[in-house]
Amino acid sequence: MSGRFRGYHQQRQARPPRSFARKLVDFILMLVFFALVALLAARLSIPRDEQEITGKAYVIDGDTIVLTGKHIRLKGIDAPELAQRCGEVPADYPCGQVARRALDKLISGRAVRCEITGQDKYKRELGTCFASETNLNSMMVEAGQATSYGAYYDEEMRAKVERKGLWAGSFDRPQDWRKVHEGSVETSPSLLDWLFDAINSAYDWVYQKLGEFW
């Protein structure tokens, strides 16, 4: 045995064995690592048209939220843009801001679950979203804070008959308003808000999924 190899062999023998506590910690870390790998693989394998996202939501406007770092457009509805005003001057009001607050109030800090069924032309996810059992898409139209946009025609008719929200006065449908104000862009959350939401949502998702494993 050469002197270099013998010295290396003696150094390995001189190292004290790891304690039981250290072995336990290493074992737990290994389990967590493989659990996360399995969860990531399972999440990536979910078909696009069956994807479901759950977490804390940041409300951008009356029909768009950020959830786990993704922009999600509430499918089948169209709410006023943030810069849009409704009613007749001088009694007009910021209906876009009102719609945003209405959606935020519907959520009321609860976790939001969205069933994703595709993307719009701006690459935003399209989904039907729920806060507990409340269908946010349906309720925004029923409250008169958004119009039907391919769905929820009955809810719009009820809001119109009862003169709720937008229907209490005059307004331009959001799609018509956008045609006139092509330069208008929706307001995005600040970088700090976006990071805070993404970190919280990622933590909630991992914690929830790990709970299912254990």
Side-chain angles (χ1 to χ4, degrees):
M1 182 183 294
S2 67
R4 177 179 297 180
F5 182 78
R6 183 168 55 252
Y8 174 74
H9 182 69
Q10 290 173 347
Q11 287 180 1
R12 284 185 59 101
Q13 287 183 328
R15 291 178 182 174
R18 291 184 301 170
S19 67
F20 175 77
R22 176 60 186 276
K23 290 180 179 179
L24 181 60
V25 170
D26 289 346
F27 179 70
I28 292 174
L29 289 176
M30 181 181 67
L31 287 179
V32 170
F33 171 76
F34 283 110
L36 290 175
V37 170
L39 288 171
L40 179 60
R43 189 171 179 83
L44 292 176
S45 67
I46 298 175
R48 187 73 184 174
D49 59 354
E50 297 180 6
Q51 187 177 3
E52 187 174 286
I53 303 175
T54 302
K56 295 180 180 178
Y58 178 93
V59 177
I60 293 181
D61 57 27
D63 57 27
T64 312
I65 63 176
V66 172
L67 195 63
T68 67
K70 297 177 183 287
H71 277 65
I72 300 176
R73 172 71 185 269
L74 302 187
K75 185 177 180 179
I77 78 172
D78 198 12
E81 299 296 328
L82 281 181
Q84 186 172 345
R85 299 185 69 86
C86 299
E88 300 293 337
V89 178
D92 59 335
Y93 69 99
C95 51
Q97 297 287 345
V98 171
R100 181 188 184 279
R101 290 195 294 270
L103 180 55
D104 194 50
K105 186 176 181 180
L106 277 175
I107 295 172
S108 297
R110 294 176 291 177
V112 172
R113 173 178 59 87
C114 292
E115 299 170 356
I116 306 301
T117 55
Q119 290 185 331
D120 66 7
K121 62 182 179 180
Y122 300 109
K123 303 300 182 182
R124 293 176 298 189
E125 311 288 350
L126 286 171
T128 303
C129 299
F130 302 83
S132 297
E133 299 303 317
T134 302
N135 184 322
L136 300 176
N137 305 47
S138 173
M139 286 302 299
M140 283 295 290
V141 178
E142 193 167 330
Q145 298 300 336
T147 61
S148 61
Y149 197 65
Y152 306 108
Y153 298 110
D154 291 341
E155 288 84 349
E156 178 179 290
M157 182 58 65
R158 285 197 295 270
K160 187 174 182 179
V161 169
E162 297 174 15
R163 299 185 62 81
K164 291 183 178 179
L166 297 169
W167 303 102
S170 62
F171 70 96
D172 293 325
R173 282 187 173 267
Q175 57 184 328
D176 296 330
W177 188 90
R178 286 191 295 269
K179 291 176 182 178
V180 178
H181 303 81
E182 291 181 355
S184 299
V185 294
E186 64 183 18
T187 302
S188 299
S190 68
L191 178 60
L192 183 61
D193 286 331
W194 189 90
L195 287 174
F196 183 77
D197 171 76
I199 291 171
N200 270 327
S201 298
Y203 175 83
D204 290 342
W205 183 80
V206 171
Y207 186 82
Q208 175 187 359
K209 293 301 181 182
L210 284 177
E212 294 176 1
F213 269 81
W214 303 110

